[in-house]
Amino acid sequence: MLRRLYDWTLSLAARKSAEWWLAFIAFVESSVFLIPADVLFVPMALSRPERSYRYAVIATVASVLGGIAGWYIGYYAYETIAKPVLEFYGKFDEFEALRTSSGIGFILLMLVTSGAAHLPPIKVVTILAGVMHVNLALFVVSAIIARGARFLLLAWLLRTYGEPIRGFIEERLGLIAGAGAGALIVLYLAVKYTL
């Protein structure tokens, strides 16, 4: 089922309505959807490199709006919407562990790491931010920076290097971003426990 969903999402890149689909996928990815917007963003930017930055802005705006929706779900509808969504994706236990051990600073750090490397998935972080009552304005600014940096970096790479960079992005960008995210977490913990 997951592979069919992935293939369907990828097929949307060839449609005339691809920009609308990109916005929709980026929006729902940030609150409830499993497939990342990159699946649609990368082929769109490769097929029309002159529009890659436009696509990055569309994906960023929609992703931040979806993040706000996730925040509201966590803030106002944890039991009725958030908990069943997290259970459906098998992320409830991970979520509860994060919920009981996280402060606002760590949530904002996770927002950056999720924006960069999908670690943890963005929907988990946006819902958690709402549950933990993270200031909405601070959340929005952090989401713009995190998601915008990711999509603009991808746009720059795809526009500058085109098809040859696709393999690198698909195979290694997650590892590199994950290593960077890991370094940020280690730095955060070092600062937290030494001060």
Side-chain angles (χ1 to χ4, degrees), residues 53 115-116 133 146-147 193 195:
Y53 291 115
H133 297 209
R147 299 304 277 175
Y193 291 110
L195 294 177

PDB file of all heavy atoms in Angstrom, residues 53 115-116 133 146-147 193 195:
ATOM      1  N   TYR A  53      12.746  27.545  -7.655  1.00  0.00           N
ATOM      2  CA  TYR A  53      12.569  28.414  -6.485  1.00  0.00           C
ATOM      3  C   TYR A  53      11.090  28.717  -6.237  1.00  0.00           C
ATOM      4  O   TYR A  53      10.663  28.837  -5.092  1.00  0.00           O
ATOM      5  CB  TYR A  53      13.369  29.710  -6.632  1.00  0.00           C
ATOM      6  CG  TYR A  53      14.860  29.471  -6.554  1.00  0.00           C
ATOM      7  CD1 TYR A  53      15.679  29.699  -7.648  1.00  0.00           C
ATOM      8  CD2 TYR A  53      15.443  29.008  -5.381  1.00  0.00           C
ATOM      9  CE1 TYR A  53      17.036  29.471  -7.580  1.00  0.00           C
ATOM     10  CE2 TYR A  53      16.796  28.771  -5.303  1.00  0.00           C
ATOM     11  CZ  TYR A  53      17.594  29.009  -6.401  1.00  0.00           C
ATOM     12  OH  TYR A  53      18.941  28.774  -6.327  1.00  0.00           O
ATOM     13  N   GLY A 115      12.687  19.473   9.751  1.00  0.00           N
ATOM     14  CA  GLY A 115      12.676  20.234   8.509  1.00  0.00           C
ATOM     15  C   GLY A 115      13.838  19.866   7.612  1.00  0.00           C
ATOM     16  O   GLY A 115      13.725  19.845   6.391  1.00  0.00           O
ATOM     17  N   ALA A 116      14.970  19.539   8.215  1.00  0.00           N
ATOM     18  CA  ALA A 116      16.155  19.210   7.429  1.00  0.00           C
ATOM     19  C   ALA A 116      16.192  17.749   6.991  1.00  0.00           C
ATOM     20  O   ALA A 116      16.569  17.440   5.865  1.00  0.00           O
ATOM     21  CB  ALA A 116      17.417  19.531   8.236  1.00  0.00           C
ATOM     22  N   HIS A 133       2.032  23.419  23.957  1.00  0.00           N
ATOM     23  CA  HIS A 133       1.670  24.843  23.984  1.00  0.00           C
ATOM     24  C   HIS A 133       2.849  25.757  23.663  1.00  0.00           C
ATOM     25  O   HIS A 133       3.015  26.814  24.280  1.00  0.00           O
ATOM     26  CB  HIS A 133       1.035  25.231  25.313  1.00  0.00           C
ATOM     27  CG  HIS A 133      -0.256  24.531  25.583  1.00  0.00           C
ATOM     28  ND1 HIS A 133      -1.240  25.077  26.346  1.00  0.00           N
ATOM     29  CD2 HIS A 133      -0.749  23.337  25.186  1.00  0.00           C
ATOM     30  CE1 HIS A 133      -2.264  24.247  26.418  1.00  0.00           C
ATOM     31  NE2 HIS A 133      -1.980  23.180  25.708  1.00  0.00           N
ATOM     32  N   ALA A 146      13.076  26.399   9.097  1.00  0.00           N
ATOM     33  CA  ALA A 146      13.418  24.989   8.895  1.00  0.00           C
ATOM     34  C   ALA A 146      12.952  24.464   7.539  1.00  0.00           C
ATOM     35  O   ALA A 146      13.726  23.874   6.784  1.00  0.00           O
ATOM     36  CB  ALA A 146      12.810  24.144  10.022  1.00  0.00           C
ATOM     37  N   ARG A 147      11.688  24.671   7.230  1.00  0.00           N
ATOM     38  CA  ARG A 147      11.150  24.140   5.976  1.00  0.00           C
ATOM     39  C   ARG A 147      11.671  24.931   4.779  1.00  0.00           C
ATOM     40  O   ARG A 147      11.970  24.374   3.729  1.00  0.00           O
ATOM     41  CB  ARG A 147       9.630  24.123   6.003  1.00  0.00           C
ATOM     42  CG  ARG A 147       9.050  23.256   7.110  1.00  0.00           C
ATOM     43  CD  ARG A 147       9.533  21.845   7.082  1.00  0.00           C
ATOM     44  NE  ARG A 147       8.732  21.079   6.132  1.00  0.00           N
ATOM     45  CZ  ARG A 147       8.952  19.818   5.792  1.00  0.00           C
ATOM     46  NH1 ARG A 147       9.961  19.166   6.313  1.00  0.00           N
ATOM     47  NH2 ARG A 147       8.184  19.212   4.934  1.00  0.00           N
ATOM     48  N   TYR A 193      23.268  20.545  29.567  1.00  0.00           N
ATOM     49  CA  TYR A 193      23.743  19.891  30.759  1.00  0.00           C
ATOM     50  C   TYR A 193      25.052  20.466  31.314  1.00  0.00           C
ATOM     51  O   TYR A 193      25.508  20.030  32.368  1.00  0.00           O
ATOM     52  CB  TYR A 193      23.871  18.382  30.528  1.00  0.00           C
ATOM     53  CG  TYR A 193      22.515  17.738  30.377  1.00  0.00           C
ATOM     54  CD1 TYR A 193      22.090  17.247  29.160  1.00  0.00           C
ATOM     55  CD2 TYR A 193      21.640  17.678  31.448  1.00  0.00           C
ATOM     56  CE1 TYR A 193      20.829  16.670  29.017  1.00  0.00           C
ATOM     57  CE2 TYR A 193      20.375  17.108  31.319  1.00  0.00           C
ATOM     58  CZ  TYR A 193      19.995  16.613  30.106  1.00  0.00           C
ATOM     59  OH  TYR A 193      18.750  16.047  29.968  1.00  0.00           O
ATOM     60  N   LEU A 195      25.439  23.998  31.434  1.00  0.00           N
ATOM     61  CA  LEU A 195      25.118  25.326  31.989  1.00  0.00           C
ATOM     62  C   LEU A 195      24.273  25.226  33.227  1.00  0.00           C
ATOM     63  O   LEU A 195      23.570  24.431  33.567  1.00  0.00           O
ATOM     64  CB  LEU A 195      24.409  26.182  30.949  1.00  0.00           C
ATOM     65  CG  LEU A 195      25.257  26.545  29.738  1.00  0.00           C
ATOM     66  CD1 LEU A 195      24.420  27.343  28.748  1.00  0.00           C
ATOM     67  CD2 LEU A 195      26.466  27.363  30.151  1.00  0.00           C
TER      68      LEU A 195
END
